Amino acid sequence: MALDRVLKELERRNAAAEAGGGEQRIKKRHDKGQLTARERIELLFDVGSFVELDRLRTHRCDEFGMGDNKVPGDGVITGFGTVEGRTVFCYSQDFTVLGGSLSHTVAEKICKIMEMATTAGAPIVGINDSGGARIQEGVESLGGYSDIFYRNTMASGVVPQISAIMGPCAGGASYSPALTDFIMMVDKTSYMFITGPEVIKSVTREEVSQEDLGGAMAHNSRSGVAHFMSPDDQACIADLRRLLSFLPSNNVDDPPLADTGDPQDRLTPELEDLIPENPNKPYDMHTLITAVSDRDSFMEAHAHFALNAITGFARIGGRPVGIVANQPMHLAGCLDIDASNKISRFVRFCDCFNLPVITFEDVPGYLPGTAQEWGGIIRHGAKIVYAYAEATVPKITVITRKAYGGAYAVMGAKHVGADLNLAFPTAQIAVMGADGAVNIIFRKEIKEADKPEERRKELVEDYGNKIATPFRAAELGYIDEIISPTDLRVRIAQGLAMLANKKGITPARKHGNIPL
Ligand code: HXC
């Protein structure tokens, strides 16, 4: 073929790839307020930086009339580009081509990009918008899914993997996002489930809408499967870019520093009045996190799930950090099964990718109840210890108020390897609250007193006065310094600078066995 004919043919094929499933199908998506796979890519990457690969690849199925139904590129767009100047790999499923369904070719394209990302040491973003396994291809498609799952697992802890669910993601297809580090969902236009409403109805007679079952809010608030929720496609892509800005490209890189213009030595006097005198009165831990973080830098993860705990990314003096906190506004900040999973998974992510973990602790203990015990709080709560103990990144813990019982021991205590343990003068560190303690250790004395109730009150007050300080822990060196809330940001920034070259070492082994 003469060169000009080849070039014409190339032009024709490129145009066919860019047209995807055609104008009608693209219009249908736009009418629903959704962007196309290509538009999403354009928004994600720095202008003009995206390089598409495998644009001309087609599926190899001839059954069911598929031989005449081939779009170059098939149901996914793959490639790499830069986000704020750093390389990122991406695949974006194209719903306009056979519903974005996964042919073996689509799977091969995705696997190729995942392998390239792991080799190049750069994050992978997967934009999911697919009707699932390509029905016409049968088991070839199923094998393709397993190929992806395998690579997700191999890339885990090597490069950050982020999934954006921007349309359907059903059946076994949901396992690829679930194997990645973070899942983002778009409100009202995305859904995930293993079995859909129809199957559920026929098997269990339960009736549930698609949105209630697997919509963005269901997974952000109830199941905890998703970590972020955005109102529309544009906002989701903006969130993706923001999340990437905190993360290193891979497990041997440091997270990117940024000049936030917020001085490291900024004092935080506004926190002096945050902790109420009455230990049973709640306060919003977000106020503290916002005050300590560089201005507007806090990005909360799992904001709608397990509200008794807070997790998220922020910058302090321009350095990215992972923040973990108890939230006294919800269940008094008690730890339960969901909070345990939320915290331990987040700490492990930070440890994978060299993000220091800053913990703000105000926890009266584990949530009591049969639902918690029978649900396995022992197993789930143990994950928190495991995650903190195993993490070799810099760990700084600040006790703002209560640190009672097992919760003291697990939430980033000195004993599980924290590097710097600070406490406010309002800290209370004890096996349990004064009421519970007095009822146990002075039971006999109270019973035998002339006025038992008065005696009990006296003892509670006395015990309370003894535990309502951080001094015992400081005397033992469990707390390195008692600090004023005004100095909180400065002390954390100093701690981070001091720990910047920390090299943590754990014993050689194949891998540990975290309680799951
Ligand atoms: C082939 C598919 C497809 C699929 C959709 N299409 N899903 N083609 N394989 N899995 C095609 C449709 O034929 C249609 O083609 C186009 O995509 C758009 O689909 P519509 O149904 O018109 O769109 P919509 O009304 O928005 O509904 C979307 C949908 C529905 C809810 C996703 O298409 C659907 O239920 N699809 C099947 C889902 C499913 O059961 N998948 C298999 C799950 S099992 P035209 O040419 O008309 O545009 C699975 C196992 C994975 O995935 C296991 C991994 C281990």
Side-chain angles (χ1 to χ4, degrees), residues 25 28 32 95 98-99 101 131-136 142 145 149 168 170 172-173 191:
R25 293 189 181 92
K28 219 171 142 188
K32 284 188 180 169
F95 191 83
L98 291 152
S101 57
R134 173 90 42 96
I135 295 166
Q136 295 89 336
L142 298 184
Y145 272 117
F149 302 162
Y191 56 89

Side-chain angles (χ1 to χ4, degrees), residues 395-474:
K395 291 175 280 192
I396 299 177
T397 301
V398 184
I399 300 177
T400 60
R401 190 167 61 177
K402 295 170 194 166
Y404 291 170
Y408 159 76
V410 305
M411 281 285 297
K414 180 68 83 197
H415 323 268
V416 289
D419 299 291
L420 192 59
N421 290 71
L422 308 172
F424 283 174
T426 42
Q428 308 169 10
I429 304 166
V431 173
M432 59 176 72
D435 268 311
V438 163
N439 286 341
I440 293 169
I441 57 180
F442 298 115
R443 186 181 299 153
K444 204 160 159 234
E445 186 178 331
I446 293 170
K447 212 171 152 192
E448 288 167 2
D450 291 340
K451 294 180 178 166
E453 195 42 34
E454 271 175 32
R455 182 65 190 136
R456 206 184 70 79
K457 272 191 187 144
E458 268 171 31
L459 288 164
V460 166
E461 200 181 317
D462 186 44
Y463 186 88
N465 287 338
K466 279 200 184 107
I467 69 154
T469 76
F471 293 126
R472 186 69 189 131

